[in-house]
Amino acid sequence: MIRNPLGLRLDPSRPIREQIQQAARLGARGVVLEASGDLAPHRLGETGRRDLRHQLRSVEVALVAMALPTRRAFDTTDQLDDRVRRADAVFALAFELGTRLVLANVGPVPAEDDAPRRETFLGALGSLANRADHRGVRLAIETGNEPPATLLAFLDGLAHPGLAASIDPPNLLRAGVDPVAAATELRAWVAHAYAGDPIGGTFVARNPRGVGFPPGALDWEEYVGALEEIAYHGFLTVWPEPPADPARQFQAVADRVARIS
């Protein structure tokens, strides 16, 4: 029995109100919003925040998480203090809008033999974790192209309640990493999960599930089963990838989930 409600990550370049209404029509129970453009903390004033909360309530759609836009990894000191402060503002915004989760691509964990970058990364993530916890949210690190064991060792080492992990099957599959193994390995750290197959881009690595699984194909039954096994009952978020139509992608995932429920 599938216990995970479906969510939809919205496109920050399109009108948010229209997308919230579309998400509700499609059957999404929640949305992920990126804190950029009109939804950036410095641009979304008190009235805008109140209106956004009203929009979500009016169509009975939850705010699954806020996404922190990042252009660079947190392993460099270049404008680091400013980037950490901007993240802190997103943490505060997320809490005010009603979610306790912020998603971010923070970059890969630097290798132990790269002491300067690793020290910067550890310091930055420690600071972000403290700020997130102080604001009443968790920062969920999006899985990228590194082995889940690397992220697990980092999270276990820091052992901070302000940090978590977000499983992204398309990203993992492109890197030849098994999302099923990632979910199982990261276990209690998993606070958010996407659902979908890679669509955009021209290169997809050999499927890590082995023979019988074409490149880019998620083993849906095993993936959802792994989430059930680790007692993750949060949202399965669809993050539409161009050039596919968001409504069609969401419906495709909904159909796949329904077939294994």
Side-chain angles (χ1 to χ4, degrees):
M1 177 68 180
I2 305 303
R3 302 182 184 180
N4 306 93
L6 293 182
L8 180 64
R9 180 158 170 167
L10 306 188
D11 183 349
S13 68
R14 294 175 51 216
I16 296 301
R17 179 190 292 271
E18 294 176 11
Q19 291 185 83
I20 290 174
Q21 294 172 344
Q22 181 189 44
R25 289 195 301 270
L26 290 170
R29 304 240 326 256
V31 293
V32 171
L33 303 177
E34 183 175 301
S36 63
D38 290 339
L39 297 187
H42 68 282
R43 294 184 63 178
L44 191 65
E46 180 97 13
T47 301
R49 298 178 188 206
R50 187 168 56 247
D51 182 57
L52 181 55
R53 290 195 298 268
H54 174 72
Q55 290 176 46
L56 293 168
R57 284 196 304 270
S58 67
V59 292
E60 299 182 336
V61 168
L63 179 57
V64 179
M66 292 295 294
L68 171 67
T70 56
R71 294 185 178 86
R72 287 172 293 175
F74 283 88
D75 59 0
T76 172
T77 58
D78 184 34
Q79 298 181 322
L80 181 59
D81 290 342
D82 184 51
R83 287 188 285 146
V84 169
R85 280 194 297 270
R86 288 201 299 270
D88 186 50
V90 174
F91 299 155
L93 174 64
F95 184 87
E96 186 176 345
L97 292 178
T99 182
R100 302 296 177 264
L101 198 61
V102 174
L103 313 177
N105 181 353
V106 300
V109 179
E112 291 186 7
D113 59 2
D114 192 348
R117 286 179 59 237
R118 189 175 179 85
E119 182 178 350
T120 298
F121 187 84
L122 287 171
L125 267 293
S127 178
L128 289 171
N130 287 333
R131 288 169 182 259
D133 192 45
H134 177 71
R135 296 291 189 181
V137 301
R138 297 180 78 190
L139 174 63
I141 299 173
E142 304 267 34
T143 53
N145 57 7
E146 62 187 348
T150 301
L151 179 57
L152 175 65
F154 169 75
L155 290 169
D156 281 349
L158 215 52
H160 200 295
L163 292 178
S166 172
I167 305 293
D168 187 342
N171 263 352
L172 291 168
L173 285 167
R174 287 192 187 96
V177 178
D178 185 3
V180 176
T184 302
E185 199 157 1
L186 289 165
R187 267 192 118 71
W189 287 108
V190 178
H192 177 260
Y194 290 102
D197 297 310
I199 294 176
T202 56
F203 173 76
V204 178
R206 179 186 61 81
N207 195 296
R209 301 294 288 174
V211 177
F213 291 89
L218 175 65
D219 186 339
W220 286 85
E221 290 194 24
E222 290 295 324
Y223 178 59
V224 174
L227 295 176
E228 178 76 16
E229 180 186 326
I230 66 173
Y232 173 78
H233 302 306
F235 280 84
L236 282 176
T237 299
V238 180
W239 188 355
E241 297 188 38
D245 173 63
R248 185 170 296 180
Q249 270 192 265
F250 180 87
Q251 192 58 55
V253 171
D255 291 344
R256 290 299 299 267
V257 170
R259 286 201 293 271
I260 56 177
S261 63

PDB file of all heavy atoms in Angstrom, residues 35-59:
ATOM      1  N   ALA A  35      12.720  29.573  -3.705  1.00  0.00           N
ATOM      2  CA  ALA A  35      12.805  30.911  -3.119  1.00  0.00           C
ATOM      3  C   ALA A  35      13.625  31.842  -4.014  1.00  0.00           C
ATOM      4  O   ALA A  35      14.708  32.297  -3.664  1.00  0.00           O
ATOM      5  CB  ALA A  35      13.410  30.843  -1.719  1.00  0.00           C
ATOM      6  N   SER A  36      13.088  32.107  -5.206  1.00  0.00           N
ATOM      7  CA  SER A  36      13.765  32.993  -6.154  1.00  0.00           C
ATOM      8  C   SER A  36      12.718  33.847  -6.858  1.00  0.00           C
ATOM      9  O   SER A  36      11.511  33.595  -6.753  1.00  0.00           O
ATOM     10  CB  SER A  36      14.560  32.177  -7.182  1.00  0.00           C
ATOM     11  OG  SER A  36      13.703  31.364  -7.965  1.00  0.00           O
ATOM     12  N   GLY A  37      13.169  34.856  -7.600  1.00  0.00           N
ATOM     13  CA  GLY A  37      12.244  35.733  -8.304  1.00  0.00           C
ATOM     14  C   GLY A  37      11.311  36.424  -7.325  1.00  0.00           C
ATOM     15  O   GLY A  37      11.744  36.957  -6.301  1.00  0.00           O
ATOM     16  N   ASP A  38      10.014  36.377  -7.619  1.00  0.00           N
ATOM     17  CA  ASP A  38       9.027  37.019  -6.744  1.00  0.00           C
ATOM     18  C   ASP A  38       8.906  36.331  -5.396  1.00  0.00           C
ATOM     19  O   ASP A  38       8.342  36.905  -4.451  1.00  0.00           O
ATOM     20  CB  ASP A  38       7.654  37.038  -7.426  1.00  0.00           C
ATOM     21  CG  ASP A  38       7.604  38.006  -8.604  1.00  0.00           C
ATOM     22  OD1 ASP A  38       8.459  38.920  -8.653  1.00  0.00           O
ATOM     23  OD2 ASP A  38       6.717  37.849  -9.470  1.00  0.00           O
ATOM     24  N   LEU A  39       9.425  35.107  -5.293  1.00  0.00           N
ATOM     25  CA  LEU A  39       9.360  34.381  -4.021  1.00  0.00           C
ATOM     26  C   LEU A  39      10.653  34.471  -3.224  1.00  0.00           C
ATOM     27  O   LEU A  39      10.801  33.796  -2.202  1.00  0.00           O
ATOM     28  CB  LEU A  39       9.003  32.909  -4.265  1.00  0.00           C
ATOM     29  CG  LEU A  39       7.632  32.622  -4.888  1.00  0.00           C
ATOM     30  CD1 LEU A  39       7.367  31.117  -4.911  1.00  0.00           C
ATOM     31  CD2 LEU A  39       6.524  33.336  -4.142  1.00  0.00           C
ATOM     32  N   ALA A  40      11.590  35.302  -3.678  1.00  0.00           N
ATOM     33  CA  ALA A  40      12.809  35.524  -2.904  1.00  0.00           C
ATOM     34  C   ALA A  40      12.438  36.253  -1.611  1.00  0.00           C
ATOM     35  O   ALA A  40      11.549  37.116  -1.624  1.00  0.00           O
ATOM     36  CB  ALA A  40      13.801  36.348  -3.710  1.00  0.00           C
ATOM     37  N   PRO A  41      13.061  35.925  -0.496  1.00  0.00           N
ATOM     38  CA  PRO A  41      12.684  36.533   0.790  1.00  0.00           C
ATOM     39  C   PRO A  41      12.655  38.057   0.781  1.00  0.00           C
ATOM     40  O   PRO A  41      11.763  38.664   1.393  1.00  0.00           O
ATOM     41  CB  PRO A  41      13.764  36.006   1.745  1.00  0.00           C
ATOM     42  CG  PRO A  41      14.187  34.712   1.144  1.00  0.00           C
ATOM     43  CD  PRO A  41      14.124  34.920  -0.336  1.00  0.00           C
ATOM     44  N   HIS A  42      13.591  38.696   0.071  1.00  0.00           N
ATOM     45  CA  HIS A  42      13.631  40.162   0.085  1.00  0.00           C
ATOM     46  C   HIS A  42      12.573  40.786  -0.807  1.00  0.00           C
ATOM     47  O   HIS A  42      12.325  41.993  -0.737  1.00  0.00           O
ATOM     48  CB  HIS A  42      15.027  40.652  -0.333  1.00  0.00           C
ATOM     49  CG  HIS A  42      15.374  40.381  -1.764  1.00  0.00           C
ATOM     50  ND1 HIS A  42      15.765  39.133  -2.211  1.00  0.00           N
ATOM     51  CD2 HIS A  42      15.360  41.192  -2.865  1.00  0.00           C
ATOM     52  CE1 HIS A  42      15.989  39.182  -3.514  1.00  0.00           C
ATOM     53  NE2 HIS A  42      15.752  40.416  -3.939  1.00  0.00           N
ATOM     54  N   ARG A  43      11.923  39.972  -1.661  1.00  0.00           N
ATOM     55  CA  ARG A  43      10.902  40.490  -2.561  1.00  0.00           C
ATOM     56  C   ARG A  43       9.487  40.124  -2.121  1.00  0.00           C
ATOM     57  O   ARG A  43       8.522  40.793  -2.495  1.00  0.00           O
ATOM     58  CB  ARG A  43      11.139  39.976  -3.987  1.00  0.00           C
ATOM     59  CG  ARG A  43      12.417  40.507  -4.613  1.00  0.00           C
ATOM     60  CD  ARG A  43      12.582  40.064  -6.054  1.00  0.00           C
ATOM     61  NE  ARG A  43      11.527  40.591  -6.914  1.00  0.00           N
ATOM     62  CZ  ARG A  43      11.472  40.370  -8.220  1.00  0.00           C
ATOM     63  NH1 ARG A  43      12.405  39.618  -8.804  1.00  0.00           N
ATOM     64  NH2 ARG A  43      10.492  40.867  -8.950  1.00  0.00           N
ATOM     65  N   LEU A  44       9.354  39.057  -1.368  1.00  0.00           N
ATOM     66  CA  LEU A  44       8.042  38.612  -0.922  1.00  0.00           C
ATOM     67  C   LEU A  44       7.730  39.242   0.434  1.00  0.00           C
ATOM     68  O   LEU A  44       8.168  38.763   1.478  1.00  0.00           O
ATOM     69  CB  LEU A  44       7.990  37.080  -0.826  1.00  0.00           C
ATOM     70  CG  LEU A  44       6.610  36.462  -0.614  1.00  0.00           C
ATOM     71  CD1 LEU A  44       5.703  36.725  -1.814  1.00  0.00           C
ATOM     72  CD2 LEU A  44       6.735  34.958  -0.377  1.00  0.00           C
ATOM     73  N   GLY A  45       6.979  40.329   0.396  1.00  0.00           N
ATOM     74  CA  GLY A  45       6.666  41.056   1.620  1.00  0.00           C
ATOM     75  C   GLY A  45       5.573  40.398   2.434  1.00  0.00           C
ATOM     76  O   GLY A  45       5.085  39.312   2.118  1.00  0.00           O
ATOM     77  N   GLU A  46       5.174  41.096   3.496  1.00  0.00           N
ATOM     78  CA  GLU A  46       4.167  40.557   4.416  1.00  0.00           C
ATOM     79  C   GLU A  46       2.860  40.230   3.703  1.00  0.00           C
ATOM     80  O   GLU A  46       2.279  39.165   3.900  1.00  0.00           O
ATOM     81  CB  GLU A  46       3.904  41.602   5.513  1.00  0.00           C
ATOM     82  CG  GLU A  46       2.892  41.190   6.538  1.00  0.00           C
ATOM     83  CD  GLU A  46       3.522  40.614   7.792  1.00  0.00           C
ATOM     84  OE1 GLU A  46       4.742  40.728   8.001  1.00  0.00           O
ATOM     85  OE2 GLU A  46       2.764  40.019   8.539  1.00  0.00           O
ATOM     86  N   THR A  47       2.402  41.141   2.851  1.00  0.00           N
ATOM     87  CA  THR A  47       1.145  40.910   2.132  1.00  0.00           C
ATOM     88  C   THR A  47       1.272  39.723   1.184  1.00  0.00           C
ATOM     89  O   THR A  47       0.369  38.880   1.087  1.00  0.00           O
ATOM     90  CB  THR A  47       0.743  42.154   1.324  1.00  0.00           C
ATOM     91  OG1 THR A  47       0.585  43.262   2.219  1.00  0.00           O
ATOM     92  CG2 THR A  47      -0.553  41.930   0.577  1.00  0.00           C
ATOM     93  N   GLY A  48       2.408  39.635   0.470  1.00  0.00           N
ATOM     94  CA  GLY A  48       2.625  38.539  -0.454  1.00  0.00           C
ATOM     95  C   GLY A  48       2.688  37.197   0.250  1.00  0.00           C
ATOM     96  O   GLY A  48       2.164  36.190  -0.261  1.00  0.00           O
ATOM     97  N   ARG A  49       3.287  37.166   1.419  1.00  0.00           N
ATOM     98  CA  ARG A  49       3.385  35.916   2.178  1.00  0.00           C
ATOM     99  C   ARG A  49       2.005  35.465   2.667  1.00  0.00           C
ATOM    100  O   ARG A  49       1.669  34.285   2.601  1.00  0.00           O
ATOM    101  CB  ARG A  49       4.344  36.097   3.358  1.00  0.00           C
ATOM    102  CG  ARG A  49       5.755  36.420   2.913  1.00  0.00           C
ATOM    103  CD  ARG A  49       6.718  36.653   4.062  1.00  0.00           C
ATOM    104  NE  ARG A  49       7.997  37.129   3.542  1.00  0.00           N
ATOM    105  CZ  ARG A  49       9.157  36.977   4.150  1.00  0.00           C
ATOM    106  NH1 ARG A  49       9.215  36.364   5.306  1.00  0.00           N
ATOM    107  NH2 ARG A  49      10.265  37.432   3.599  1.00  0.00           N
ATOM    108  N   ARG A  50       1.239  36.435   3.129  1.00  0.00           N
ATOM    109  CA  ARG A  50      -0.118  36.124   3.582  1.00  0.00           C
ATOM    110  C   ARG A  50      -0.967  35.619   2.417  1.00  0.00           C
ATOM    111  O   ARG A  50      -1.733  34.652   2.555  1.00  0.00           O
ATOM    112  CB  ARG A  50      -0.733  37.369   4.219  1.00  0.00           C
ATOM    113  CG  ARG A  50      -2.089  37.116   4.870  1.00  0.00           C
ATOM    114  CD  ARG A  50      -2.525  38.283   5.743  1.00  0.00           C
ATOM    115  NE  ARG A  50      -2.546  39.526   4.999  1.00  0.00           N
ATOM    116  CZ  ARG A  50      -1.718  40.545   5.217  1.00  0.00           C
ATOM    117  NH1 ARG A  50      -0.777  40.447   6.152  1.00  0.00           N
ATOM    118  NH2 ARG A  50      -1.811  41.664   4.519  1.00  0.00           N
ATOM    119  N   ASP A  51      -0.821  36.249   1.256  1.00  0.00           N
ATOM    120  CA  ASP A  51      -1.589  35.852   0.073  1.00  0.00           C
ATOM    121  C   ASP A  51      -1.196  34.449  -0.388  1.00  0.00           C
ATOM    122  O   ASP A  51      -2.052  33.652  -0.787  1.00  0.00           O
ATOM    123  CB  ASP A  51      -1.369  36.856  -1.052  1.00  0.00           C
ATOM    124  CG  ASP A  51      -2.182  36.518  -2.299  1.00  0.00           C
ATOM    125  OD1 ASP A  51      -3.415  36.408  -2.183  1.00  0.00           O
ATOM    126  OD2 ASP A  51      -1.581  36.343  -3.376  1.00  0.00           O
ATOM    127  N   LEU A  52       0.101  34.143  -0.319  1.00  0.00           N
ATOM    128  CA  LEU A  52       0.563  32.822  -0.747  1.00  0.00           C
ATOM    129  C   LEU A  52       0.013  31.736   0.170  1.00  0.00           C
ATOM    130  O   LEU A  52      -0.436  30.677  -0.297  1.00  0.00           O
ATOM    131  CB  LEU A  52       2.094  32.795  -0.760  1.00  0.00           C
ATOM    132  CG  LEU A  52       2.755  31.483  -1.206  1.00  0.00           C
ATOM    133  CD1 LEU A  52       2.260  31.050  -2.581  1.00  0.00           C
ATOM    134  CD2 LEU A  52       4.278  31.643  -1.221  1.00  0.00           C
ATOM    135  N   ARG A  53       0.031  31.974   1.459  1.00  0.00           N
ATOM    136  CA  ARG A  53      -0.544  30.999   2.392  1.00  0.00           C
ATOM    137  C   ARG A  53      -2.027  30.789   2.106  1.00  0.00           C
ATOM    138  O   ARG A  53      -2.532  29.671   2.149  1.00  0.00           O
ATOM    139  CB  ARG A  53      -0.337  31.464   3.843  1.00  0.00           C
ATOM    140  CG  ARG A  53       1.103  31.425   4.329  1.00  0.00           C
ATOM    141  CD  ARG A  53       1.180  31.535   5.846  1.00  0.00           C
ATOM    142  NE  ARG A  53       0.624  32.799   6.320  1.00  0.00           N
ATOM    143  CZ  ARG A  53       1.327  33.912   6.511  1.00  0.00           C
ATOM    144  NH1 ARG A  53       2.628  33.910   6.269  1.00  0.00           N
ATOM    145  NH2 ARG A  53       0.749  35.003   6.960  1.00  0.00           N
ATOM    146  N   HIS A  54      -2.722  31.889   1.790  1.00  0.00           N
ATOM    147  CA  HIS A  54      -4.148  31.797   1.472  1.00  0.00           C
ATOM    148  C   HIS A  54      -4.378  30.989   0.195  1.00  0.00           C
ATOM    149  O   HIS A  54      -5.314  30.167   0.130  1.00  0.00           O
ATOM    150  CB  HIS A  54      -4.747  33.198   1.317  1.00  0.00           C
ATOM    151  CG  HIS A  54      -6.169  33.189   0.845  1.00  0.00           C
ATOM    152  ND1 HIS A  54      -7.222  32.789   1.642  1.00  0.00           N
ATOM    153  CD2 HIS A  54      -6.712  33.499  -0.376  1.00  0.00           C
ATOM    154  CE1 HIS A  54      -8.350  32.866   0.951  1.00  0.00           C
ATOM    155  NE2 HIS A  54      -8.070  33.277  -0.268  1.00  0.00           N
ATOM    156  N   GLN A  55      -3.537  31.214  -0.820  1.00  0.00           N
ATOM    157  CA  GLN A  55      -3.664  30.471  -2.075  1.00  0.00           C
ATOM    158  C   GLN A  55      -3.556  28.967  -1.834  1.00  0.00           C
ATOM    159  O   GLN A  55      -4.339  28.175  -2.377  1.00  0.00           O
ATOM    160  CB  GLN A  55      -2.584  30.909  -3.064  1.00  0.00           C
ATOM    161  CG  GLN A  55      -2.744  32.301  -3.635  1.00  0.00           C
ATOM    162  CD  GLN A  55      -1.560  32.651  -4.523  1.00  0.00           C
ATOM    163  OE1 GLN A  55      -1.146  31.856  -5.356  1.00  0.00           O
ATOM    164  NE2 GLN A  55      -1.011  33.842  -4.347  1.00  0.00           N
ATOM    165  N   LEU A  56      -2.584  28.577  -1.036  1.00  0.00           N
ATOM    166  CA  LEU A  56      -2.374  27.162  -0.751  1.00  0.00           C
ATOM    167  C   LEU A  56      -3.550  26.574   0.033  1.00  0.00           C
ATOM    168  O   LEU A  56      -4.038  25.485  -0.288  1.00  0.00           O
ATOM    169  CB  LEU A  56      -1.068  26.972   0.015  1.00  0.00           C
ATOM    170  CG  LEU A  56       0.218  27.297  -0.769  1.00  0.00           C
ATOM    171  CD1 LEU A  56       1.416  27.366   0.175  1.00  0.00           C
ATOM    172  CD2 LEU A  56       0.457  26.248  -1.852  1.00  0.00           C
ATOM    173  N   ARG A  57      -4.005  27.290   1.040  1.00  0.00           N
ATOM    174  CA  ARG A  57      -5.133  26.789   1.836  1.00  0.00           C
ATOM    175  C   ARG A  57      -6.406  26.676   1.009  1.00  0.00           C
ATOM    176  O   ARG A  57      -7.186  25.739   1.179  1.00  0.00           O
ATOM    177  CB  ARG A  57      -5.388  27.717   3.040  1.00  0.00           C
ATOM    178  CG  ARG A  57      -4.403  27.578   4.187  1.00  0.00           C
ATOM    179  CD  ARG A  57      -4.967  28.219   5.447  1.00  0.00           C
ATOM    180  NE  ARG A  57      -5.323  29.623   5.228  1.00  0.00           N
ATOM    181  CZ  ARG A  57      -4.500  30.645   5.414  1.00  0.00           C
ATOM    182  NH1 ARG A  57      -3.262  30.422   5.829  1.00  0.00           N
ATOM    183  NH2 ARG A  57      -4.891  31.886   5.207  1.00  0.00           N
ATOM    184  N   SER A  58      -6.617  27.637   0.110  1.00  0.00           N
ATOM    185  CA  SER A  58      -7.867  27.680  -0.645  1.00  0.00           C
ATOM    186  C   SER A  58      -8.043  26.467  -1.554  1.00  0.00           C
ATOM    187  O   SER A  58      -9.169  26.089  -1.890  1.00  0.00           O
ATOM    188  CB  SER A  58      -7.956  28.964  -1.472  1.00  0.00           C
ATOM    189  OG  SER A  58      -6.983  28.973  -2.502  1.00  0.00           O
ATOM    190  N   VAL A  59      -6.935  25.852  -1.989  1.00  0.00           N
ATOM    191  CA  VAL A  59      -7.034  24.668  -2.843  1.00  0.00           C
ATOM    192  C   VAL A  59      -6.585  23.403  -2.097  1.00  0.00           C
ATOM    193  O   VAL A  59      -6.418  22.350  -2.699  1.00  0.00           O
ATOM    194  CB  VAL A  59      -6.203  24.837  -4.145  1.00  0.00           C
ATOM    195  CG1 VAL A  59      -6.821  25.905  -5.025  1.00  0.00           C
ATOM    196  CG2 VAL A  59      -4.751  25.172  -3.842  1.00  0.00           C
TER     197      VAL A  59
END
